[in-house]
Amino acid sequence: MKNLCFYFEIHQPMRLKRYRFFDIEQDHYYYDDFQNEERIRLLAEQSFLPANRTLLEIIQNSNGKFRCAFSFSGVVLEQLEQYAPEVIDSFDELSKTGCVEFLAETYAHSLSSVYDLHEFEQQVALQTEKITSLFGKKPTVFRNSELIYSDEIGEKIYNMGYKTILIDEVSHVLGWKSPNFVYSHPTLPKLKLLVRNFKLSDDIAFHFSDHSWSDFPLTADKFISWIKNMPEDQPVVNIWLGYEALGLFQRPESGIFEFLKAIPFFALQNNIGFLTPSEIAKKIEAVDMLSSPEPISWSGIEKDISLWNGNDLQQEALNKLYAVGERVRLCSDRPLRHDWLMLQSSDHFRYMSHKDAFGTYYESPYDAFMNYMNILADFLLRVDEQYPTTIDNEELNALLNTIYELEKEVESLENELKKLRSRKKTES
Amino acid sequence: MKVLMFGWEFPPHILGGLGTASYGLVKAMAGKPDMNITFVIPKPHGDEDQSFLKIIGASYVPVVWKENDWNYVNERIGWIMNPDEYFWLRNGIKYDFRRIYTNDLGCIEFSGRYPENLLEEISNYEAVASVLAHQLSFDVIHSHDWLTYPAGIFAKQISGKPLVVHVHATEFDRSRGNVNPIVYDIEKRGMDAANHIITVSNLTRNIVIEKYFQDPKKVTTVHNAVEPLPDVDSYVKTPRRDKIVTFLGRITMQKGPEYFVEAAERVLKKNKKVRFVMAGNGDMMLDMINLAAKRRITDRFHFTGFLKGRQVYQMLADSDVYIMPSVSEPFGISPLEAMQVGTPTIISKQSGCSEILTHSIKIDYWDIDGMADAVNAIIRNPAMYKSLHELGREEVNNIRWEDAGEKVIKIYNSLLGK
């Protein structure tokens, strides 16, 4: 039996406000609230809410046979809570049907898996905590920001307790292999890799309403027939896309919601089922392993991570940011910790790309870089105030350890004192 | 294809961007097959490069019939023109131009500059055009900028050949809104009479369409390019303690020098390790010195006066940032020159060159905060400097006159129904 796996990504970075170098040390608020609110309201009204309504209807009409998965960054959840709380409620409603799975990822939709593994671990914990508190389900399957993956990152994720990871169909990793199977990590046979069907996913996400596309118009009937006509032994087709494709990129008048509604009907008619990623991992065995020594992602022609770190500007910004990771994690200042997360969203670096600054609201990559670096300069000064960069990390650690040990000693001495006092009391 | 072109300047004796631009374009066009260009300028000096086209000096074309013998003509103008050509052109005199003051050869003495009696020179240029139109054979007439439009129109009326006018600037750019009606009239008549109008940017194209009421269908943008710098490696950045930020050009209203001064003040408030240089000359120079003094930044703000030749490129190469805050710039070649020597540039969005450059920071000319911010980003972030330095140079090296020339030839062909 063949299966379809629908998974939708939901992420929006906190957009940064125009921040001039005169503002450094003067202004510690970095976000463009007006723009963020407008963006989130737009997404909620045009995409998230109508799409959720559609999915709920599909699930109910198919008696729970239709199933799908979502991933949220913590950054977008914070914004939804603030500007469109009804979206959270609506996802909660979907979650209650039991047909929806939530995936683990990094809180900030960050590149921490490549630049700062400690940070990576913390962010995943933070995000899963947030998901659990909102929807009452702890994620068990992992998808990294931008589907960034390499053997090394896979191992790290495995050590964090995840046995299933989502990756993209990248030709230099798959070679002649089909994405419609389950694979495993080369050295960790228990770690399963699910692979996105790149063509079919993009057909919905980007081509659906494209009149010049040769397969236009795309109907559910046609779409399912493509899947039906695939070789019998291919067990699963992974259709993964950004959620805003429904309603925003593909307008409601293009018929995208009707298309979705018709999918389960034709699928079930043709004996094609629906599974969530964790169900796939449970039911379907890996047929082979996939090795990716270099990081891959789901963006760009090369499908590497050069859209975020390919040029000098991006490298400079990333290096400056992640150089203070250890220090920031020592800080207990909450606003500082929050800004640290918000500044890590991969989007900020994508806007600096000369190749493809997808989703940018800046006039040029240089503009994006200048603004980001001004904010970062202020942020770094704040970090410096707490833990001066003049002291190097090891020295700092040593000092902190000393303090920590002294504290411990004080504590044990106090305990001893208490004991002695109480003994004295009993004696007297 | 034979082209009769009217210009006003030609290197090496140039006064502004017009000479450089028309030179680059015709040189590239002359390199194409079946291109025969005759370039008319008011007053050649004899040291122009004529290897790829023929230059005719209007100052040596007779417009009034005077009897002279061959030897006398040879003695007078033989150094620049063959007397046979003089006598042959003389046969083209069909109208009575005796109202115009001419010399012993029946020629008008042009200054070839932008004198007080510029309007008179422009109309005299028309008289020369009539003689040439009668005597030369050509397929297309091409007039560079408003000074030569009347000549082009007259040549078209006489020959019936299509006229292309090339708009390098409009009166709206030069006057910042304070338009001289006489100049506007000359420009408008030129555009009305033209079979096709070439503009150096879309910015200019819009002005031509909106302010001169031209049919968009007959207006095409052909962006300027820049000649490769043969001795580019000889310009080396001198190491200095302070960063250098430069303005280079005529210090006039059109170029927005006051915004440069204001931005300088904002940068210096935060960062004292920068020096600002205003290179060039112009009617606003004294005002700018006063303004810099008023802002109390003269210890870090320098004026160089007029620079020429190698000095220009050396100044650009020595700069860490080049700024062109022009209020209205039809094209603006100087940022491209700065990029050739690897200097990061900040240009105003109100400039034509901003349409074709990606590796340059673009700001509104009035946005002094943005300008100061960009300066600061470039001098503080090595990555920013490096990107603009390397990618900017690469980009500008790919902007070639050959491509512009090809577009112009395409326009000719369409006019000739080829």
Side-chain angles (χ1 to χ4, degrees), chain A residues 143-408:
Chain A
R143 67 77 67 176
N144 200 4
S145 0
E146 317 287 357
L147 293 195
I148 291 172
Y149 174 83
S150 68
D151 294 342
E152 193 190 333
I153 294 170
E155 197 177 327
K156 177 77 193 167
I157 296 166
Y158 181 78
N159 290 338
M160 281 153 59
Y162 295 93
K163 308 275 182 280
T164 314
I165 301 176
L166 273 51
I167 67 168
D168 195 22
E169 178 186 352
V170 177
S171 53
H172 66 259
V173 169
L174 277 144
W176 51 268
K177 292 171 195 157
S178 155
N180 306 332
F181 290 97
V182 174
Y183 295 91
S184 68
H185 188 277
T187 55
L188 304 162
K190 280 191 189 151
L191 177 57
K192 285 187 173 167
L193 302 175
L194 312 188
V195 187
R196 182 170 85 123
N197 188 306
F198 160 65
K199 185 196 169 279
L200 292 179
S201 300
D202 270 15
D203 284 347
I204 297 179
F206 298 108
H207 303 145
F208 186 77
S209 58
D210 177 4
H211 290 247
S212 61
W213 180 41
S214 58
D215 283 311
F216 182 86
L218 182 62
T219 59
D221 193 3
K222 195 195 280 183
F223 192 76
I224 293 297
S225 73
W226 288 345
I227 293 166
K228 198 183 126 197
N229 294 332
M230 285 174 177
E232 208 43 58
D233 61 335
Q234 300 188 355
V236 62
V237 177
N238 292 309
I239 310 291
W240 303 344
L241 39 133
Y243 205 30
E244 61 274 9
L246 310 182
L248 198 69
F249 294 167
Q250 309 304 335
R251 309 291 304 166
E253 53 271 27
S254 70
I256 184 75
F257 293 126
E258 283 67 30
F259 169 80
L260 273 184
K261 281 181 201 168
I263 286 276
F265 175 78
F266 285 104
L268 297 172
Q269 207 178 38
N270 287 293
N271 200 24
I272 297 172
F274 294 92
L275 291 176
T276 65
S278 64
E279 290 165 345
I280 298 176
K282 223 173 279 164
K283 290 187 180 165
I284 303 172
E285 281 311 308
V287 291
D288 197 357
M289 47 195 199
L290 287 182
S291 173
S292 174
E294 294 297 321
I296 54 168
S297 80
W298 71 352
S299 289
I301 304 159
E302 295 96 346
K303 297 236 169 146
D304 54 10
I305 54 171
S306 67
L307 287 176
W308 298 277
N309 75 352
N311 69 34
D312 291 332
L313 302 178
Q314 295 166 318
Q315 281 161 19
E316 166 90 351
L318 281 163
N319 291 337
K320 283 261 157 71
L321 175 73
Y322 281 110
V324 296
E326 264 183 76
R327 268 148 219 276
V328 177
R329 283 191 292 280
L330 294 169
C331 295
S332 51
D333 181 12
R334 282 195 60 192
L336 188 81
R337 293 292 293 259
H338 186 252
D339 290 336
W340 163 247
L341 288 170
M342 298 303 127
L343 292 179
Q344 286 185 64
S345 294
S346 63
D347 312 72
H348 301 312
F349 309 100
R350 180 80 179 258
Y351 303 151
M352 300 174 197
S353 171
H354 294 307
K355 283 196 277 190
D356 175 11
F358 182 77
T360 188
Y361 52 97
Y362 290 102
E363 287 179 15
S364 71
Y366 293 107
D367 193 24
F369 177 76
M370 284 194 283
N371 209 51
Y372 186 84
M373 291 311 274
N374 284 340
I375 288 173
L376 189 61
D378 183 73
F379 177 79
L380 294 178
L381 285 172
R382 284 165 61 203
V383 175
D384 208 44
E385 257 169 42
Q386 305 231 352
Y387 295 111
T389 31
T390 44
I391 309 173
D392 72 49
N393 280 344
E394 278 176 29
E395 205 177 330
L396 192 66
N397 265 338
L399 286 173
L400 286 168
N401 270 338
T402 324
I403 294 172
Y404 181 66
E405 268 158 29
L406 283 175
E407 266 176 6
K408 258 189 172 169

Side-chain angles (χ1 to χ4, degrees), chain B residues 166-285:
Chain B
H166 204 128
V167 186
H168 292 265
T170 67
E171 181 61 7
F172 289 88
D173 304 303
R174 288 181 290 260
S175 65
R176 213 149 140 179
N178 214 347
V179 172
N180 179 341
I182 301 173
V183 176
Y184 177 85
D185 180 54
I186 294 175
E187 291 180 326
K188 173 104 169 65
R189 285 198 298 132
M191 295 180 200
D192 289 344
N195 298 69
H196 208 91
I197 301 167
I198 295 174
T199 54
V200 292
S201 64
N202 292 328
L203 189 83
T204 308
R205 183 171 183 267
N206 289 340
I207 294 175
V208 166
I209 292 167
E210 280 161 26
K211 299 275 195 327
Y212 295 85
F213 309 100
Q214 298 301 314
D215 179 0
K217 270 185 268 173
K218 78 168 200 183
V219 193
T220 307
T221 298
V222 177
H223 286 106
N224 282 346
V226 64
E227 283 277 298
L229 206 55
D231 52 349
V232 65
D233 296 328
S234 69
Y235 301 100
V236 183
K237 194 163 184 284
T238 325
R240 273 173 228 270
R241 212 162 358 142
D242 293 339
K243 303 285 184 185
I244 306 275
V245 182
T246 303
F247 169 103
L248 196 150
R250 279 180 295 120
I251 307 177
T252 60
M253 201 163 61
Q254 187 194 346
K255 306 289 178 184
E258 65 269 40
Y259 303 104
F260 179 77
V261 182
E262 297 288 0
E265 191 224 353
R266 279 175 162 66
V267 174
L268 288 169
K269 246 189 224 159
K270 281 266 185 176
N271 189 345
K272 292 271 179 264
K273 301 207 124 275
V274 197
R275 289 182 185 275
F276 289 82
V277 177
M278 188 170 268
N281 220 330
D283 55 12
M284 278 178 74
M285 180 145 155

Side-chain angles (χ1 to χ4, degrees), chain B residues 82-115:
Chain B
N82 187 333
D84 293 338
E85 198 180 345
Y86 168 86
F87 289 111
W88 178 70
L89 283 172
R90 201 175 62 172
N91 294 332
I93 301 175
K94 305 284 181 197
Y95 307 112
D96 184 358
F97 285 120
R98 275 177 300 178
R99 62 181 164 82
I100 301 171
Y101 172 78
T102 51
N103 62 13
D104 52 342
L105 296 176
C107 300
I108 305 163
E109 283 176 354
F110 288 93
S111 75
R113 304 174 65 86
Y114 301 92

Side-chain angles (χ1 to χ4, degrees), chain B residues 72-84:
Chain B
Y72 180 69
V73 172
N74 191 29
E75 195 179 302
R76 287 276 281 108
I77 59 169
W79 59 280
I80 192 159
M81 190 194 245
N82 187 333
D84 293 338

